[in-house]
Amino acid sequence: MSRIGKQPVTVPAGVKVTINPNARTIEMTGPKGTVKQTWRPEVNVAWTESEKKIVCSVDMTKLEEGNRKAYWGLTRANIDNMVEGVTKGYEKKLEINGVGWGAKIQGKKIVLTLGYADTIELDIPSTVKVDLNQNQVIISGPDKQAVGEFAARIRSQRKPEPYNGKGVKYVDEVIIRKQGKAFGS
């Protein structure tokens, strides 16, 4: 049995849950926004309004076929992330290090100046909110995957390099610095 999958997900007050078992979709709406997700056909998801709990299950006779245990735990973890996202939200902070480097928001795009001849324009997803604070880019939203994916896209435009420390990095990321070439003695 999946240790994660068999645990029910408790839904706090103020979160509206809509499950469509035919389309295998679940939608949650809370104070931070709305998140919608589709689950795998191997897993069954049930919502009890009276207990305010979501229970994930699989057919126990076919448990050892394929990756059913993994999908069971994954589905439960994704639903738990949805509950946390619509109640608390998710946030990633990126730091831009480099002389003359920075970011600015123009409409529904973020424009990055990262030492290249041209600026880089990235479309901001509709489920994500982007704020700027000096050399920091703060990405927030209710969908954990969308927040992480957009942060990774920004970081991939100019990854931090170990010699000068220039690049786009997560605020809590530690870049191990390397010593440059040593010249004659």
Side-chain angles (χ1 to χ4, degrees), residues 5-104:
K6 65 183 175 182
Q7 298 172 0
V9 178
T10 306
V11 179
V15 176
K16 183 180 178 271
V17 178
T18 308
I19 292 182
N20 184 351
N22 297 332
R24 297 188 333 268
T25 60
I26 182 169
E27 185 175 338
M28 288 191 194
T29 305
K32 295 288 183 178
T34 302
V35 181
K36 187 175 184 179
Q37 194 169 32
T38 305
W39 69 80
R40 299 274 312 183
E42 295 89 349
V43 182
N44 302 318
V45 177
W47 160 247
T48 55
E49 183 72 42
S50 60
E51 296 180 19
K52 294 279 194 187
K53 290 188 179 183
I54 299 173
V55 179
C56 300
S57 62
V58 292
D59 185 4
M60 290 303 203
T61 59
K62 299 178 182 178
L63 188 62
E64 298 303 322
E65 291 180 15
N67 293 327
R68 287 179 188 263
K69 279 197 260 186
Y71 294 141
W72 188 14
L74 174 73
T75 302
R76 191 259 177 213
N78 285 342
I79 291 171
D80 193 41
N81 287 340
M82 290 171 70
V83 170
E84 186 174 338
V86 297
T87 53
K88 299 177 191 169
Y90 289 101
E91 182 178 89
K92 292 270 186 184
K93 292 183 181 179
L94 296 168
E95 190 175 282
I96 300 174
N97 295 323
V99 177
W101 293 14
K104 57 186 170 195

Side-chain angles (χ1 to χ4, degrees), residues 91-95 133 136-139 151 169-173:
E91 182 178 89
K92 292 270 186 184
K93 292 183 181 179
L94 296 168
E95 190 175 282
N133 182 12
Q136 281 190 354
V137 179
I138 302 162
I139 304 163
K169 70 178 191 83
Y170 296 108
V171 169
D172 56 351
E173 183 178 11

